[in-house]
Amino acid sequence: MRILSGIQPTGDKHLGNYSGGFRQYVETQERGDAFFCIVDLHSITVPYDPAALRSSTLDLAAMLFAVGLDPQRSTVFVQSHVKAHAESAWLLQAVASYGQLGRMTQFKDKGEGKDFVSAGLFTYPVLMAGDILLYQADLVPIGDDQRQHLELARDVAQSFNSRFGETFKLPEGVYPTVGARIMDLQEPTRKMSTTNGTPQGTVRLIDEPDVIRKKFKTAVTDSGREVRRGDDKPGITNLIDILSVATGETREQIEARYADGAGYGQFKGDVGEAVVELLTPIRERYLLLRSDEAELLRLLRTGAEKATATVEPTLRALYDRMGFVQP
Ligand code: AMP
Ligand code: TRP
């Protein structure tokens, strides 16, 4: 079983990224031959700062190992270190249509009202299709927001296969069942996000324990007192999801545990403690890994070598079937 996912090295990673992304990566690495790609080539599709890209790439590498990706089992690498990603992005543009790309909601959302919209923001999903298809991936653990891009990757694979001959496997997405959308603690109708959320409502994975406690203590709750989920209770519903992610209890178990009327204050304190317990070892491992850049780069180089060797046969087939003269 081949598994592949990608994540952008932008912004500090937060509890939503853990819940909707990292947590699943760690689970899926048990199910087969897993590849996790730090997609730096995707990050240049919106205006960015080169120095920040360099440090965020290393930050993310340290974080991926800190949350539990095991370099002995999983291949963690940087997209730009494996040239096949940029090459396949160009080649696959022959089978992805302009109309198809224009329907991508993320392109519309990220491009809307901006002075400058790069051509790369438009073709971004083709780069992502190449990331996945080059590895002949069976499973792609991703967040809900990437569903449409995965569909596009499948469409691209099908078009290529029917036009140039059977080359790519059709990948399946794996989506989280709980915690696929963690909301901002201050504005629970909006997604938690380092770039679009409120600072006080966003729990960074490297926040100090006291900062985390404070963010939960001041989390917005809803009217009433009962700790239960419901459309009328976005704040409490979100906190129940977060507690479930942190402790592994089901949401029903959590509701039952608070059915005796413990009150919101107690509940919020408990969620904060559970998150501190979850994140403290991650933060400690992160700081240690991040302090040794030479070792991080060594791990990433080893990952890139394995990834390069893995995609080589598919890349060759791609050139060959498309009619390029082999050197
Ligand atoms: P981003 O860093 O916003 O590009 O998100 C990268 C990935 O993290 C997404 O594809 C999701 O898998 C996950 N993610 C981001 N924000 C959240 C959130 N608020 N709740 C759950 N998952 C999230
Ligand atoms: N586009 C994805 C995001 O922004 C990241 C990504 C790039 C990806 N290539 C991928 C995810 C391949 C899964 C598989 O979250």
Side-chain angles (χ1 to χ4, degrees), residues 6-8 10-22 24-25 106 110 124 141-146 176 179-184 190-196:
I7 177 147
Q8 293 202 44
T10 39
D12 278 343
K13 297 302 168 188
H14 54 82
L15 196 55
N17 296 127
Y18 175 81
S19 171
F22 302 158
Q24 292 196 89
Y25 301 170
Q106 194 177 80
K110 285 198 184 172
Y124 166 124
I142 37 173
D144 255 341
D145 59 332
Q146 297 297 316
R181 250 175 98 79
I182 296 295
M183 309 308 278
D184 189 287
R190 162 166 157 188
K191 236 173 67 160
M192 185 178 287
S193 160
T194 346
T195 43
N196 292 317

Side-chain angles (χ1 to χ4, degrees), residues 24-65:
Q24 292 196 89
Y25 301 170
V26 175
E27 265 166 39
T28 47
Q29 85 176 339
E30 310 293 332
R31 294 168 63 182
D33 186 19
F35 290 78
F36 298 102
C37 181
I38 298 174
V39 294
D40 53 353
L41 297 173
H42 279 91
S43 297
I44 64 168
T45 57
V46 290
Y48 75 100
D49 169 28
L53 177 63
R54 203 167 287 125
S55 61
S56 324
T57 301
L58 295 172
D59 291 349
L60 180 56
M63 187 52 80
L64 290 173
F65 294 121

